[in-house]
């Protein structure tokens, strides 16, 4: 008996690795137009190019089948895999979104397996994980790096192969973009999804995750994840490791090792004479013992080649201070961090919302920020929210200023208030019949599209009725921040109001709605 399942979208973030070609080839293999449509309801494959700047063409298969699903490429600006996945799923229009890494190889029946895994899942199930196989070398013991990669086969809710309902992603705010590395962002999302009352299940589809080559210092660079662990602790509490299926970790031992090293280096300078020397020798002995024990645990499983042993000895000495440094960095960076959530795009009206209104202004020197504007915008940026401006500029159509004047004023706004992710302005007046002049939704729709989002993923903050009317017309959330020129009937008709920009940002980040 066949079980119908809604079409789904596959999202693959990439930094342009050659392995992307193999992932896409394996995914597309065997798909046909009509028969495959019943078994492989992949509506679209979205590849998100997360390189900071455009580079060489992505390694897409040159022989992509004409009758397969559409492959669309988006850019996310090098903001990390969490932001790239968000750009992908927000651009999707299907019930389910399946995430694959750009270095996995789906098995030949993966698409059919995904369809089977998602068919007839109970409404309370929010996600389905695939099974991951990590091939290890034959004829020798795996290296330390290979053993670490092999742990992915038993990890929970990893986005090497993970499918979520789009509605669930929208409910919890998607991936937390404060995780800038491919680390912990999948566990964080899974915990938030389960906290929201949705179940996660393990499917039967399979992918292979090859071990990527790693340089000598890869294990030391990986200690940057200690900063991400701080964010997990801030957001999910002290029990996050147990809930995420993680072990206790080695931070305490690394702290002790680093303290012993510092004591050995500093004792002779602090304590003069024999006592200082003795203290230094004792601390040095503790450091040697702890470092040797750490190296032995990494060397003992093999392969014990001279190169592997040398790497383990050197990196075992470097890892503890690196781990402690990144832990301290995380405590600073993520101090006061709050749970992720709310809209992922906030669009602002410009005049009398972000800057004081100067009628028909084409002079950048007259730009004056509204009170609290920079602080409100920076707060959104710290939470990973993308921000933009949608502004009516009818003075262009009236000949009072030029489009170039508007851009120069906008550039001055950016110098004073920081970078915006998107700018849209309407140069028409009320008689032009355009679809962009607020209260029409065109600017909001275009801004959302340029950011790879849907209008429903956006909040619009403005000071007059046409701002929130445009938001409602686009299907976005509208928040009115009244000023002296806001009419009483506009305030009465607004679905949400806030007395200040700060309060409006509170509503966005808190997810609450208030009159």
């Amino acid at each position: 008996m066949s079980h119908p399942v809604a079409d789904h979208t596959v999202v693959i973030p990439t930094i342009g690795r050659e392995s992307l070609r193999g992932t896409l080839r394996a995914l597309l293999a065997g798909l046909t137009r009509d028969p495959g449509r019943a078994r492989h309801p992949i509506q679209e494959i979205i590849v998100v190019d997360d390189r900071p700047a455009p580079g060489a063409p992505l390694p897409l298969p040159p022989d992509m089948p004409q009758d397969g699903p559409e492959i669309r490429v988006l850019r996310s600006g090098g903001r990390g895999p969490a932001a790239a996945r968000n750009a992908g799923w927000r651009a999707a229009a299907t019930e389910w979104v399946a995430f694959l890494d750009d270095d996995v190889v789906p098995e030949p029946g993966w698409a059919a397996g995904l369809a089977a895994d998602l068919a007839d899942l109970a409404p309370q199930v929010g996600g389905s994980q695939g099974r991951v196989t990590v091939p290890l070398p034959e004829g020798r013991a795996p290296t330390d790096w290979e053993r670490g990669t092999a742990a992915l086969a038993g990890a929970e809710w990893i986005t090497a192969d993970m499918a979520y309902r789009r509605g669930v992603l929208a409910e919890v705010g998607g991936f937390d973009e404060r995780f800038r590395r491919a680390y912990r962002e999948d566990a964080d999302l899974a915990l938030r999804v389960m906290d929201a009352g949705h179940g996660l299940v393990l499917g039967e589809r399979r992918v292979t995750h090859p071990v990527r080559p790693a340089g000598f210092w890869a294990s030391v660079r990986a200690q940057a994840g200690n900063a991400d662990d701080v964010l997990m602790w801030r957001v999910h509490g002290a029990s996050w490791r147990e809930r995420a299926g993680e072990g206790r970790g080695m931070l305490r031992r690394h702290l002790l090792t680093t303290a012993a090293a510092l004591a050995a280096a500093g004792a002779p300078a602090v304590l003069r004479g024999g006592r200082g020397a003795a203290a230094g020798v004792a601390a040095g002995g503790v450091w040697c013992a702890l470092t040797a024990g750490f190296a032995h645990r990494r060397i003992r499983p093999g392969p014990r080649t001279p190169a592997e042993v040398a790497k383990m000895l050197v990196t075992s000495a470097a890892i503890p201070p690196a781990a402690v440094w990144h832990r301290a960095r995380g405590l600073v960076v993520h101090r006061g961090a709050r749970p992720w959530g709310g809209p992922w795009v906030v669009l602002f009206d410009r005049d009398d919302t972000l800057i004081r209104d100067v009628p028909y202004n084409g002079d950048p020197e007259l730009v004056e920020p509204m009170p609290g504007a920079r602080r409100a915008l920076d707060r959104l940026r710290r939470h990973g929210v993308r921000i933009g401006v949608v502004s009516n500029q009818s003075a262009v159509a009236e000949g009072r200023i030029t489009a170039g004047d508007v851009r120069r004023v906008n550039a001055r706004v950016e110098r004073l208030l920081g970078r915006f992710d998107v700018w849209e302005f309407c140069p028409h007046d009320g008689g032009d019949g355009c679809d962009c002049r607020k209260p029409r939704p065109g600017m909001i729709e275009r801004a959302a599209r340029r950011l790879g989002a849907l209008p429903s993923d956006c909040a619009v903050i403005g000071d007059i009725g046409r701002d929130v009317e445009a938001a409602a017309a686009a299907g976005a959330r509208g928040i009115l921040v009244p000023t002296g020129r806001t009419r009483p009937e506009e305030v009465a008709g607004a679905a949400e109001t806030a007395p200040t920009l700060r309060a409006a940002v509170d509503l966005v980040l808190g997810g609450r709605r208030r009159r």
Side-chain angles (χ1 to χ4, degrees):
M1 179 179 177
S2 64
H3 301 283
V5 62
D7 285 358
H8 51 260
T9 301
V10 176
V11 171
I12 306 174
T14 186
I15 54 174
R17 292 187 293 209
E18 182 62 29
S19 57
L20 172 65
R21 181 177 285 113
T23 300
L24 288 171
R25 278 178 170 164
L27 179 59
L28 293 169
L31 295 183
T32 57
R33 182 178 299 159
D34 292 330
R37 190 69 174 166
R39 296 182 299 107
H40 315 303
I42 298 177
Q43 183 178 97
E44 185 179 32
I45 298 171
I46 298 178
V47 176
V48 186
D49 182 354
D50 195 47
R51 293 176 295 182
L58 290 178
L60 303 177
D63 52 349
M64 293 184 292
Q66 297 299 313
D67 55 357
E70 177 188 356
I71 296 182
R72 180 158 48 126
V73 177
L74 304 177
R75 288 192 52 79
S76 54
R79 296 181 296 122
R85 293 190 186 101
N86 280 344
W89 74 258
R90 290 169 187 162
T94 54
E95 178 185 359
W96 285 92
V97 179
F99 299 97
L100 291 175
D101 284 349
D102 70 348
D103 57 352
V104 303
V105 181
E107 67 174 12
W110 183 87
L114 175 64
D117 286 343
L118 302 184
D120 291 339
L121 286 179
Q124 63 267 29
V125 175
S128 168
Q129 180 183 349
R131 297 176 186 265
V132 178
T133 300
V134 179
L136 294 177
E138 297 181 1
R140 67 165 173 82
T143 64
D144 179 72
W145 180 258
E146 290 166 343
R147 289 192 299 273
T149 304
L152 295 175
E156 294 183 345
W157 324 128
I158 60 173
T159 43
D161 181 359
M162 187 74 197
Y164 281 101
R165 294 187 193 270
R166 192 187 187 284
V168 170
L169 292 170
E171 177 184 344
V172 302
F175 291 86
D176 187 334
E177 296 180 14
R178 293 171 294 185
F179 292 97
R180 299 297 296 268
R181 305 167 60 252
Y183 187 73
R184 301 300 189 210
E185 83 288 355
D186 43 14
D188 166 76
L189 175 61
L191 293 183
R192 288 187 287 115
V193 167
M194 290 187 286
D195 287 344
H198 305 285
L200 301 178
V201 298
L202 180 63
E204 296 297 327
R205 64 191 185 278
R206 291 184 175 275
V207 299
T208 298
H209 192 305
V211 180
R212 293 198 306 269
F216 188 94
W217 299 103
S219 59
V220 179
R221 290 194 297 270
Q223 301 311 307
N226 283 278
D228 300 311
D229 287 349
V230 174
L231 181 55
M232 291 290 288
W233 168 55
R234 295 286 194 199
V235 172
H236 299 288
S239 64
W240 76 265
R241 283 186 171 274
E242 180 181 357
R243 296 182 58 214
E246 292 287 336
R248 180 175 178 179
M250 296 191 64
L251 181 63
R252 292 184 180 180
R253 187 181 183 94
H254 292 334
L255 281 168
L256 182 58
T257 304
T258 303
L262 292 173
V270 175
L271 300 173
R272 301 299 179 183
R275 287 188 304 158
V281 169
V286 172
W287 177 84
C288 287
L290 290 172
T291 302
F294 181 39
H296 179 259
R297 282 195 300 276
R298 300 174 71 206
I299 293 170
R300 183 178 57 189
R304 304 182 194 173
T305 62
E308 178 73 2
V309 171
K311 183 190 298 184
M312 294 301 98
L313 289 174
V314 173
T315 58
S316 293
I319 283 174
V324 172
W325 161 252
H326 286 295
R327 177 74 176 192
R329 179 174 63 85
L331 289 171
V332 173
V333 171
H334 299 305
R335 64 188 184 279
R338 296 184 179 182
W340 182 261
W344 315 279
V345 176
V346 178
L347 303 174
F348 292 86
D349 173 57
R350 195 190 75 175
D351 301 323
D352 255 9
T353 300
L354 294 178
I355 62 174
R356 294 197 183 277
D357 182 34
V358 176
Y360 314 118
N361 182 31
D363 184 356
E365 296 303 317
L366 297 180
V367 172
E368 180 185 354
M370 294 290 284
R374 180 64 190 248
R375 182 174 298 179
L377 293 169
D378 284 345
R379 188 171 170 216
L380 290 172
R381 294 179 181 116
R382 286 195 301 272
H383 280 77
V385 178
R386 307 185 78 180
I387 56 177
V389 176
V390 288
S391 176
N392 285 351
Q393 294 295 324
S394 61
V396 175
E398 297 168 7
R400 299 172 182 267
I401 59 175
T402 67
D405 293 331
V406 175
R407 295 188 181 95
R408 284 189 288 272
V409 169
N410 291 345
R412 175 65 174 172
V413 174
E414 281 209 330
R415 286 195 292 272
L416 295 175
L417 297 181
R419 179 181 176 275
F420 291 83
D421 295 292
V422 65
W423 286 86
E424 288 284 347
F425 72 89
C426 171
H428 309 109
D429 63 20
D432 286 341
C434 68
D435 66 351
C436 52
R437 180 175 171 80
K438 293 178 289 185
R440 294 182 179 272
M443 280 193 291
I444 297 170
E445 293 170 345
R446 285 205 306 267
R449 187 164 55 249
R450 288 174 60 188
L451 296 176
L454 296 176
S456 58
D457 299 333
C458 302
V460 179
I461 297 176
D463 68 306
I464 60 176
R466 71 181 64 172
D467 297 320
V468 293
E469 290 171 18
R477 178 181 180 184
I479 301 175
L480 185 72
V481 180
T483 63
R485 66 171 182 165
T486 311
R487 299 194 303 270
E489 58 269 27
E490 293 175 328
V491 177
E496 292 185 84
T497 63
T500 63
L501 275 177
R502 177 179 178 179
V505 170
D506 284 341
L507 292 179
V508 170
L509 296 178
R512 302 179 302 276
R513 295 182 178 269
R514 183 176 64 197
R515 285 299 303 272

